[in-house]
Amino acid sequence: MRRSVREATIGFSLLAALVGGLGLWFWLTGVVFGQKTYSIRLRFQDAAGLAPQSVVTYQGVPVGSVHSVTPEAGWVAVEAKINDRSLKLYRPITAQIRSGSLLGGDPQVALDTQATIPASDTSGGPTSSTCNPTRIVCEGGLIKGEATPSLTTVMGLMEKLLTQAEQDKLISKGATTFTALTTLAESAEGLVGELQDAVENAGPVIDNLNSATAHASNVLGALDNPTSLNELKKTVSNAEQLTRRIDVISADIQQLTSDPNVINGFRSVSIGLGKFFDELYPSIKPETTED
């Protein structure tokens, strides 16, 4: 009896260990019982440490896991499993390999869509026979991955840039350009000094212009006064009338002086008046004394 109990205990222990090992193997391989998934394919130039069981996220939310990573000629083929068969991955969609957190972590596949997701979509799902591959990622559909900037790629790019700069002699050209810029800066500094001297010399001229501007402002202010404008209009009107009168008198005088009879008459009157005053007031000659 004791022997039978001992053998049964050993048998159950081995069975539990076998079941636990199978469960661990299924968990490691991504097999989940009671849950249906669908697969998608991804293609990357560089897998960057990606491995089976790596997390797949969509818009930052975990939606599946990597099933296999297979290097091929020119790229790395990745197969992923999406846990929800009704989840629609709308195109256009991008795939990148990112770290799990800002401080590092295991690499994961990040899916992001730039499409406008409708509020209600009655089209077929990714596993449906009516799935539209131009609208969503259907089961087995391909997504081309994009390169993710990393320290290694940045350093490689810097190395290429330095190599190209050395080949094109950009460093020597840059030194020459820097020397030319220094000379230009010195010339500009001298020009600024000359401009400052010119501004200082132009100070009195500016003061005179300010004074003239002030006087002009006063004159304009006086002209802007309605009373001053009325007086100025009256003055201009009187000047115009006086000018017209002078023109009339000048015309009359010119007409009189151009007539010879009038001139002879003025001459006769002048001579007659002279004789009349000589007869009226005879001139007194001074007496002469004899020695």
XYZ file of all heavy atoms in Angstrom, residues 152-209:
421
model
N 24.543 54.502 -32.976
C 25.420 53.898 -33.975
C 25.229 54.544 -35.337
O 26.192 54.881 -36.032
C 25.146 52.393 -34.060
O 25.326 51.812 -32.768
C 26.079 51.726 -35.048
N 23.949 54.736 -35.751
C 23.698 55.345 -37.052
C 24.149 56.794 -37.092
O 24.669 57.271 -38.105
C 22.199 55.255 -37.382
O 21.448 55.897 -36.331
C 21.760 53.807 -37.482
N 23.974 57.507 -35.969
C 24.409 58.909 -35.921
C 25.928 59.006 -36.035
O 26.460 59.844 -36.770
C 23.895 59.577 -34.633
C 24.533 60.962 -34.467
C 22.386 59.698 -34.656
N 26.639 58.121 -35.309
C 28.100 58.129 -35.391
C 28.562 57.760 -36.796
O 29.519 58.351 -37.324
C 28.680 57.153 -34.364
C 28.450 57.579 -32.912
S 29.222 59.162 -32.516
C 30.946 58.756 -32.692
N 27.885 56.785 -37.425
C 28.245 56.435 -38.792
C 28.017 57.577 -39.756
O 28.838 57.829 -40.650
N 26.928 58.294 -39.572
C 26.659 59.438 -40.436
C 27.704 60.533 -40.238
O 28.170 61.141 -41.209
C 25.255 59.981 -40.137
C 24.817 61.199 -40.951
C 24.826 60.879 -42.439
C 23.425 61.657 -40.514
N 28.093 60.774 -38.985
C 29.121 61.786 -38.719
C 30.448 61.382 -39.348
O 31.179 62.229 -39.892
C 29.275 61.985 -37.204
C 28.076 62.657 -36.548
S 28.342 62.914 -34.767
C 29.756 64.011 -34.798
N 30.765 60.103 -39.280
C 32.011 59.631 -39.891
C 31.986 59.836 -41.400
O 32.982 60.267 -42.006
C 32.212 58.154 -39.549
C 33.535 57.596 -40.053
C 33.736 56.154 -39.632
O 32.866 55.617 -38.920
O 34.753 55.557 -40.033
N 30.836 59.568 -42.026
C 30.728 59.786 -43.474
C 30.874 61.267 -43.809
O 31.535 61.643 -44.786
C 29.386 59.260 -43.975
C 29.262 57.743 -43.944
C 27.903 57.307 -44.474
C 27.782 55.790 -44.448
N 26.448 55.329 -44.932
N 30.264 62.118 -42.993
C 30.351 63.555 -43.249
C 31.781 64.058 -43.116
O 32.254 64.870 -43.918
C 29.424 64.311 -42.287
C 27.915 64.138 -42.523
C 27.135 64.864 -41.433
C 27.528 64.663 -43.894
N 32.500 63.568 -42.084
C 33.891 63.985 -41.905
C 34.759 63.498 -43.061
O 35.649 64.223 -43.526
C 34.426 63.458 -40.562
C 33.828 64.108 -39.312
C 34.358 63.417 -38.053
C 34.170 65.597 -39.268
N 34.504 62.260 -43.503
C 35.270 61.738 -44.643
C 35.009 62.573 -45.890
O 35.943 62.931 -46.632
C 34.897 60.277 -44.891
O 35.132 59.513 -43.694
C 35.717 59.701 -46.029
N 33.748 62.902 -46.128
C 33.408 63.725 -47.289
C 34.008 65.117 -47.177
O 34.488 65.700 -48.160
C 31.879 63.820 -47.420
C 31.415 64.521 -48.691
C 31.760 63.750 -49.942
O 31.811 62.529 -49.903
N 31.989 64.454 -51.038
N 34.018 65.660 -45.949
C 34.597 66.991 -45.755
C 36.092 66.978 -46.019
O 36.653 67.921 -46.602
C 34.305 67.472 -44.334
N 36.752 65.893 -45.600
C 38.190 65.801 -45.841
C 38.478 65.665 -47.333
O 39.434 66.255 -47.849
C 38.764 64.603 -45.081
C 40.285 64.486 -45.198
C 40.813 63.315 -44.396
O 39.997 62.627 -43.757
O 42.040 63.102 -44.406
N 37.643 64.906 -48.038
C 37.854 64.747 -49.479
C 37.622 66.050 -50.228
O 38.326 66.356 -51.191
C 36.919 63.662 -50.017
C 37.250 62.260 -49.517
C 36.255 61.230 -50.007
O 35.255 61.555 -50.643
N 36.521 59.961 -49.687
N 36.655 66.835 -49.818
C 36.337 68.093 -50.506
C 37.147 69.268 -49.988
O 36.923 70.410 -50.420
C 34.842 68.400 -50.363
C 33.988 67.364 -51.065
O 34.535 66.653 -51.928
O 32.791 67.261 -50.752
N 38.088 69.019 -49.031
C 38.913 70.082 -48.461
C 38.039 71.185 -47.848
O 38.353 72.378 -47.940
C 39.834 70.686 -49.528
C 40.717 69.676 -50.248
C 41.674 68.982 -49.302
C 42.572 67.987 -50.043
N 43.486 67.261 -49.121
N 36.953 70.760 -47.195
C 36.062 71.754 -46.625
C 36.682 72.453 -45.423
O 36.353 73.600 -45.126
C 34.741 71.083 -46.203
C 33.867 70.539 -47.347
C 32.604 69.908 -46.774
C 33.514 71.657 -48.305
N 37.610 71.755 -44.735
C 38.208 72.366 -43.549
C 39.074 73.551 -43.934
O 39.006 74.638 -43.348
C 39.009 71.310 -42.761
C 38.081 70.209 -42.254
C 39.763 71.953 -41.613
C 38.775 69.090 -41.541
N 39.938 73.343 -44.983
C 40.777 74.464 -45.424
C 39.934 75.585 -46.002
O 40.191 76.764 -45.785
C 41.787 73.967 -46.465
O 41.107 73.420 -47.587
N 38.895 75.204 -46.753
C 37.999 76.231 -47.292
C 37.302 76.977 -46.167
O 37.112 78.195 -46.221
C 36.976 75.593 -48.217
C 37.583 75.010 -49.491
C 36.507 74.378 -50.355
C 37.112 73.761 -51.619
N 36.078 73.103 -52.454
N 36.941 76.234 -45.132
C 36.291 76.894 -43.997
C 37.238 77.847 -43.294
O 36.838 78.931 -42.858
N 38.527 77.453 -43.166
C 39.499 78.357 -42.548
C 39.668 79.625 -43.380
O 39.727 80.745 -42.845
C 40.842 77.639 -42.386
N 39.753 79.466 -44.718
C 39.861 80.644 -45.587
C 38.636 81.535 -45.453
O 38.739 82.769 -45.361
C 40.020 80.202 -47.043
O 41.154 79.328 -47.138
C 40.205 81.393 -47.958
N 37.490 80.916 -45.409
C 36.256 81.695 -45.256
C 36.233 82.413 -43.916
O 35.807 83.570 -43.817
C 35.035 80.764 -45.375
O 35.096 80.073 -46.622
C 33.741 81.554 -45.287
N 36.719 81.737 -42.864
C 36.737 82.371 -41.545
C 37.679 83.573 -41.537
O 37.377 84.614 -40.947
C 37.182 81.345 -40.490
C 37.234 81.906 -39.097
C 36.064 82.129 -38.390
C 38.453 82.218 -38.506
C 36.106 82.645 -37.101
C 38.504 82.740 -37.231
C 37.322 82.945 -36.518
N 38.841 83.438 -42.223
C 39.773 84.571 -42.308
C 39.139 85.736 -43.046
O 39.259 86.906 -42.646
C 41.057 84.124 -43.022
O 41.613 83.008 -42.320
C 42.061 85.261 -43.079
N 38.444 85.415 -44.141
C 37.776 86.480 -44.891
C 36.695 87.150 -44.056
O 36.532 88.374 -44.082
C 37.167 85.909 -46.177
N 35.980 86.350 -43.269
C 34.954 86.926 -42.412
C 35.563 87.810 -41.338
O 35.012 88.856 -40.973
C 34.124 85.807 -41.759
C 33.192 85.033 -42.701
C 32.527 83.881 -41.952
C 32.133 85.960 -43.269
N 36.752 87.402 -40.813
C 37.424 88.231 -39.813
C 37.829 89.567 -40.403
O 37.655 90.635 -39.796
C 38.655 87.484 -39.275
O 38.246 86.219 -38.748
C 39.333 88.287 -38.179
N 38.413 89.532 -41.620
C 38.794 90.785 -42.294
C 37.578 91.661 -42.544
O 37.608 92.888 -42.335
C 39.494 90.467 -43.616
O 40.604 89.589 -43.359
C 39.992 91.737 -44.285
N 36.509 91.029 -42.973
C 35.286 91.784 -43.215
C 34.755 92.404 -41.929
O 34.287 93.552 -41.924
C 34.232 90.862 -43.823
C 32.864 91.486 -44.138
C 33.020 92.622 -45.143
C 31.897 90.440 -44.660
N 34.865 91.668 -40.819
C 34.413 92.213 -39.538
C 35.253 93.414 -39.125
O 34.732 94.419 -38.618
C 34.458 91.123 -38.468
N 36.598 93.317 -39.343
C 37.452 94.460 -39.003
C 37.111 95.677 -39.871
O 37.048 96.809 -39.376
C 38.913 94.065 -39.191
C 39.386 92.997 -38.189
C 40.812 92.549 -38.464
O 41.364 92.987 -39.505
O 41.355 91.785 -37.652
N 36.897 95.444 -41.169
C 36.514 96.549 -42.049
C 35.182 97.156 -41.620
O 35.009 98.380 -41.622
C 36.425 96.056 -43.497
O 37.668 95.524 -43.922
N 34.276 96.281 -41.236
C 32.980 96.784 -40.795
C 33.116 97.590 -39.513
O 32.426 98.596 -39.321
C 32.018 95.606 -40.580
N 34.049 97.175 -38.635
C 34.262 97.926 -37.398
C 34.783 99.324 -37.708
O 34.345 100.317 -37.115
C 35.239 97.170 -36.506
C 35.456 97.825 -35.139
C 36.375 97.009 -34.256
O 36.822 95.947 -34.716
O 36.636 97.436 -33.123
N 35.748 99.409 -38.675
C 36.239 100.732 -39.073
C 35.148 101.575 -39.701
O 35.047 102.784 -39.452
N 34.319 100.954 -40.510
C 33.226 101.684 -41.132
C 32.247 102.194 -40.083
O 31.740 103.320 -40.192
C 32.503 100.769 -42.118
C 31.302 101.369 -42.864
C 31.749 102.576 -43.677
C 30.660 100.339 -43.769
N 32.013 101.390 -39.055
C 31.127 101.842 -37.983
C 31.707 103.056 -37.272
O 30.988 104.018 -36.936
C 30.873 100.683 -36.996
C 30.170 101.176 -35.755
C 30.066 99.597 -37.664
N 33.046 103.050 -37.053
C 33.682 104.216 -36.437
C 33.521 105.467 -37.287
O 33.221 106.553 -36.772
N 33.729 105.321 -38.602
C 33.558 106.466 -39.493
C 32.118 106.959 -39.486
O 31.855 108.170 -39.508
C 33.973 106.073 -40.915
C 35.475 105.778 -41.040
C 35.831 105.342 -42.463
O 34.899 105.260 -43.276
O 37.031 105.093 -42.715
N 31.196 106.045 -39.439
C 29.798 106.449 -39.384
C 29.492 107.194 -38.095
O 28.723 108.177 -38.089
C 28.892 105.216 -39.510
C 28.843 104.556 -40.899
C 28.000 103.287 -40.845
C 28.260 105.521 -41.921
N 30.074 106.757 -36.998
C 29.869 107.461 -35.737
C 30.418 108.884 -35.809
O 29.772 109.842 -35.347
C 30.524 106.690 -34.592
C 29.822 105.377 -34.258
C 30.523 104.629 -33.152
O 31.638 104.984 -32.752
N 29.900 103.579 -32.672
N 31.640 109.058 -36.403
C 32.192 110.408 -36.561
C 31.295 111.261 -37.443
O 31.059 112.448 -37.159
C 33.596 110.316 -37.172
C 34.584 109.620 -36.230
O 34.309 109.598 -35.007
O 35.598 109.086 -36.719
N 30.787 110.656 -38.533
C 29.911 111.418 -39.424
C 28.637 111.849 -38.707
O 28.145 112.962 -38.889
C 29.568 110.584 -40.656
N 28.122 110.973 -37.857
C 26.916 111.321 -37.097
C 27.201 112.452 -36.125
O 26.388 113.377 -35.953
C 26.385 110.074 -36.366
C 25.279 110.446 -35.391
C 25.859 109.058 -37.372
N 28.374 112.415 -35.469
C 28.722 113.493 -34.550
C 28.893 114.814 -35.293
O 28.457 115.873 -34.822
C 30.009 113.129 -33.801
C 29.840 111.939 -32.840
C 31.149 111.577 -32.171
O 32.190 112.203 -32.512
O 31.131 110.676 -31.318
N 29.534 114.798 -36.488
C 29.705 116.026 -37.265
C 28.376 116.542 -37.798
O 28.204 117.747 -38.007
C 30.662 115.768 -38.435
C 32.079 115.447 -37.956
O 32.494 115.917 -36.889
N 32.797 114.641 -38.699
N 27.480 115.660 -38.041
C 26.183 116.085 -38.555
C 25.254 116.587 -37.465
O 24.136 117.021 -37.760
C 25.506 114.920 -39.284
N 25.726 116.579 -36.213
C 24.896 117.052 -35.107
C 24.421 118.482 -35.274
O 23.213 118.772 -35.158
N 25.324 119.490 -35.539
C 24.857 120.878 -35.730
C 23.876 121.020 -36.880
O 22.897 121.761 -36.789
C 26.168 121.644 -35.996
C 27.229 120.810 -35.376
C 26.790 119.401 -35.531
N 24.159 120.310 -37.979
C 23.234 120.382 -39.112
C 21.855 119.869 -38.709
O 20.819 120.443 -39.076
C 23.789 119.572 -40.297
C 22.820 119.592 -41.466
C 25.140 120.132 -40.725
N 21.858 118.788 -37.948
C 20.579 118.235 -37.497
C 19.858 119.218 -36.583
O 18.630 119.396 -36.645
C 20.818 116.887 -36.797
C 21.339 115.859 -37.809
C 19.536 116.365 -36.147
C 21.740 114.540 -37.194
N 20.639 119.934 -35.702
C 20.025 120.931 -34.831
C 19.404 122.057 -35.647
O 18.283 122.514 -35.359
C 21.071 121.489 -33.865
C 21.560 120.426 -32.888
O 20.796 119.447 -32.675
O 22.681 120.556 -32.370
N 20.145 122.544 -36.699
C 19.595 123.608 -37.552
C 18.324 123.132 -38.263
O 17.350 123.870 -38.389
C 20.640 124.044 -38.581
C 21.833 124.724 -37.919
O 21.684 125.323 -36.841
N 23.000 124.632 -38.532
N 18.379 121.887 -38.729
C 17.182 121.351 -39.379
C 16.009 121.248 -38.408
O 14.859 121.515 -38.777
C 17.492 119.963 -39.965
C 18.404 119.946 -41.200
C 18.709 118.513 -41.590
C 17.748 120.676 -42.366
